[in-house]
Amino acid sequence: MRYSLLSVMGQALRGQRDWKPQWRDATPKAEYDAVIVGGGGHGLATAYYLAKEHGITNVAVLEKSHVGSGNVGRNTTIVRSNYGLAGNIPFYERSMKLWEGLEQDINYNAMVSQRGVLNLYHSDAQRDAYARRGNAMRMAGIDAELLDREGVRGMVPFIDFDNARFPVKGGLLQRRGGTVRHDAVAWGYARAASDRGVDIVQNCAVTGIRRENGRVVGVETSRGFIRAKKVALSVAGSTSLLASMADLRLPIESHVLQAFVSEGVKPLIDTVMTFGAGHFYVSQSDKGGLVFGGDIDGYNSYAQRGNLATIEDVMEGGMALWPGLGRLRLLRHWGGIMDMSMDGSPIIDRTPIDGLYLNAGWCYGGFKATPAAGFCFAHLIARDTSHEDAAAYRLDRFATGHLIDEKGMGAQPNLH
Amino acid sequence: MRIRCPHCGTRDNGEFSYLGDAAPARPDGMEAQPAAMHDYVYLRDNPAGPHRELWYHGAGCRSWLVVDRDTRTHEITGVSSARDVALSRRTGEVA
């Protein structure tokens, strides 16, 4: 499907009735070279890069519901590469570079908006920590600027700089960070993968992983058995459930994260801003709603809805930083299920079972990783070796002690 | 979500802190192999369904509690004092 000004105008006159589906809603074949479980952003990106980078097109993406119904349609759309640890820096920067070229690559308007990500600091110690992180980024060739108070005031003059407990002292700014239209990422990758021959199979829940002689041979699904040489799991909050079908226990807990949108208002904030003294971040969507969120609820959950205590905590963080928010009404809020890992970092690796691959443990940072996760997971599936940018995301790092604990919280998933 | 604390009555979940699955038992540090310690520290069943877990009533009686809760619905079916659970585990009774 191609779009032009003429086609948009023509459809407007015909009541938008004649648009064609953007990808094939495929019926599963009996056998594939690779089956990707999970039709979210990561799974679709993996299928796209398998086809584009490795020429593997006999691939199915199995989605239990419809494309975009999981976390790719539930996140707060922020992209950034402002990490501080060696294992993370090259991976997230690859993701950022892929975001920058994504729309040209897949010929789809994903509304990539590099409006900047501004992390505020509120104490001398926090400034030192941010300076260190910014330096780590700059040494890797990533843009980072340490702003003083006046620099922040020039960007977001409306926040409470002189809060008695948490005065704003400055911020760490990554100008190349920003937001991307999350649904369009799923749709764009789905169309691009489908165009290259990938089967996108919706309403197809995986119910079992069949093995013979210690090797994966396919998946049992709600639409019958599908034979596959390789099975790749990319199912976010459902990772432990799928892994248990292959008798694997993982260093992962599933937790609910809530997100919020206010009523639409005129342009208020033209960047992504995070509060450094609590967990609160905010940006403004093109429709005008403020999109914001904070901590996960903190208890194991598969419910896709959270509780009031966390909502209050997020609102308190928002009000402490930006008292004017109190004049806005909340339009809606929702929850998604996060695969919280034991060190706060992801896993892109083979499993002890031949032919079974794992992309998981994204905690609440999976969206920004979508292109690179797909890129590196496809590399792993195609070549059976880790991509160099994801080489640290090993499943056995918990046994060997090579943890990547960006926050320094230890093996407590609800604190990452 | 509200938790019926055996000491304080039914209270909002915001008064409680969550530790995690109550099932993992710490291996003997002097005897255990590294693999057993790895399993205890890092691996979890993470079920979708009934889950027995540890909560701390920090804004109340400051007791550790064992809560039976369904992770699909957040429905709580049982709450007992972690001390009672530990004592009964030691004496071999089922809590």
Side-chain angles (χ1 to χ4, degrees):
Chain A
M1 161 98 32
R2 296 277 162 185
Y3 302 98
S4 66
L5 187 60
L6 206 62
S7 70
V8 170
M9 284 167 27
Q11 288 286 355
L13 294 174
R14 295 197 295 278
Q16 314 285 353
R17 281 191 304 267
D18 302 330
W19 293 112
K20 300 279 188 303
Q22 300 190 8
W23 64 85
R24 291 176 297 112
D25 190 21
T27 304
K29 293 191 289 190
E31 182 168 359
Y32 291 94
D33 290 338
V35 160
I36 296 162
V37 185
H42 284 217
L44 294 164
T46 304
Y48 170 66
Y49 291 114
L50 266 178
K52 183 191 174 215
E53 302 291 332
H54 306 283
I56 301 173
T57 57
N58 186 23
V59 173
V61 178
L62 308 183
E63 166 55 44
K64 70 177 172 186
S65 179
H66 59 269
V67 160
S69 58
N71 291 346
V72 74
R74 291 166 186 266
N75 59 76
T76 44
T77 79
I78 296 164
V79 300
R80 57 186 173 84
S81 58
N82 55 357
Y83 282 72
L85 293 184
N88 282 330
I89 288 171
F91 176 84
Y92 286 102
E93 179 57 11
R94 172 171 291 278
S95 212
M96 182 55 74
K97 289 200 172 113
L98 286 168
W99 284 122
E100 287 172 330
L102 179 72
E103 293 168 313
Q104 298 301 316
D105 188 28
I106 62 176
N107 183 31
Y108 204 89
N109 181 11
M111 295 162 69
V112 176
S113 167
Q114 292 182 288
R115 60 183 71 181
V117 172
L118 175 64
N119 301 134
L120 300 173
Y121 59 80
H122 308 267
S123 66
D124 291 349
Q126 197 169 25
R127 182 185 58 211
D128 291 348
Y130 279 18
R132 180 180 169 175
R133 177 144 61 103
N135 286 338
M137 292 163 63
R138 292 175 73 116
M139 285 174 71
I142 303 168
D143 70 303
E145 292 168 49
L146 196 66
L147 301 185
D148 62 9
R149 196 175 152 92
E150 292 314 306
V152 171
R153 201 187 292 276
M155 292 183 69
V156 283
F158 41 78
I159 59 174
D160 186 6
F161 283 86
D162 298 312
N163 185 294
R165 281 185 74 192
F166 308 118
V168 177
K169 302 264 193 178
L172 182 64
L173 172 66
Q174 186 186 18
R175 291 192 192 272
R176 287 164 63 238
T179 62
V180 181
R181 169 93 166 102
H182 52 182
D183 298 312
V185 173
W187 302 332
Y189 272 126
R191 187 182 72 152
S194 183
D195 283 350
R196 288 174 182 265
V198 171
D199 278 358
I200 295 165
V201 184
Q202 303 181 97
N203 300 308
C204 181
V206 169
T207 55
I209 297 173
R210 195 186 288 181
R211 286 165 287 161
E212 283 171 13
N213 303 319
R215 194 186 159 80
V216 165
V217 294
V219 289
E220 315 280 355
T221 79
S222 54
R223 297 173 72 169
F225 176 68
I226 301 172
R227 190 166 285 278
K229 295 184 183 74
K230 296 181 175 182
V231 173
L233 303 182
S234 193
V235 294
S238 301
T239 298
S240 293
L241 303 181
L242 270 291
S244 72
M245 294 173 190
D247 300 318
L248 287 177
R249 284 178 89 218
L250 296 176
I252 285 173
E253 286 180 5
S254 295
H255 284 258
V256 59
L257 174 67
Q258 303 188 71
F260 310 86
V261 171
S262 79
E263 59 187 326
V265 289
K266 288 185 176 180
L268 265 177
I269 178 168
D270 62 358
T271 187
V272 180
M273 177 175 68
T274 74
F275 185 34
H279 199 164
F280 175 84
Y281 55 88
V282 60
S283 64
Q284 189 166 17
S285 80
D286 290 12
K287 282 195 287 187
L290 296 187
V291 182
F292 53 96
D295 272 326
I296 55 174
D297 271 40
Y299 45 81
N300 285 48
S301 175
Y302 286 89
Q304 288 189 325
R305 59 182 168 77
N307 274 287
L308 194 60
T310 306
I311 297 174
E312 285 178 335
D313 185 68
V314 172
M315 301 304 156
E316 284 167 2
M319 287 296 289
L321 175 64
W322 187 356
L325 280 182
R327 302 293 296 275
L328 288 176
R329 282 171 296 189
L330 192 63
L331 188 66
R332 56 198 171 90
H333 75 106
W334 63 93
I337 303 305
M338 310 294 121
D339 37 338
M340 301 298 297
S341 70
M342 282 286 174
D343 63 356
S345 293
I347 297 158
I348 302 178
D349 203 358
R350 292 181 292 179
T351 68
I353 298 158
D354 281 344
L356 185 64
Y357 302 82
L358 185 64
N359 170 42
W362 290 100
C363 299
Y364 41 80
F367 177 69
K368 74 176 86 67
T370 302
F375 192 88
C376 294
F377 199 32
H379 184 280
L380 177 77
I381 296 163
R383 303 192 185 183
D384 268 319
T385 57
S386 292
H387 188 279
E388 60 181 356
D389 291 341
Y393 297 153
R394 295 173 63 106
L395 178 56
D396 70 357
R397 69 175 183 269
F398 302 93
T400 61
H402 295 85
L403 277 71
I404 313 165
D405 194 342
E406 192 87 27
K407 269 176 94 177
M409 286 299 185
Q412 189 63 37
N414 62 348
L415 299 183
H416 284 292
Chain B
M1 190 163 70
R2 288 174 176 172
I3 297 173
R4 186 178 44 75
C5 174
H7 311 294
C8 309
T10 301
R11 307 296 301 169
D12 186 81
N13 82 298
E15 293 188 1
F16 300 81
S17 303
Y18 181 78
L19 182 69
D21 193 339
R26 186 186 175 90
D28 185 327
M30 300 304 285
E31 300 289 332
Q33 295 299 307
M37 202 54 103
H38 164 262
D39 290 2
Y40 165 70
V41 174
Y42 294 114
L43 301 189
R44 298 290 180 268
D45 288 336
N46 193 22
H51 192 230
R52 176 161 263 219
E53 54 202 23
L54 286 164
W55 289 78
Y56 177 66
H57 196 182
C61 58
R62 296 188 283 171
S63 295
W64 281 97
L65 306 174
V66 175
V67 176
D68 291 297
R69 191 177 59 92
D70 192 311
T71 60
R72 294 166 301 188
T73 61
H74 300 164
E75 185 193 3
I76 293 171
T77 53
V79 183
S80 44
S81 157
R83 186 171 183 276
D84 294 345
V85 173
L87 282 173
S88 64
R89 189 185 282 176
R90 196 172 302 168
T91 58
E93 295 166 27
V94 178

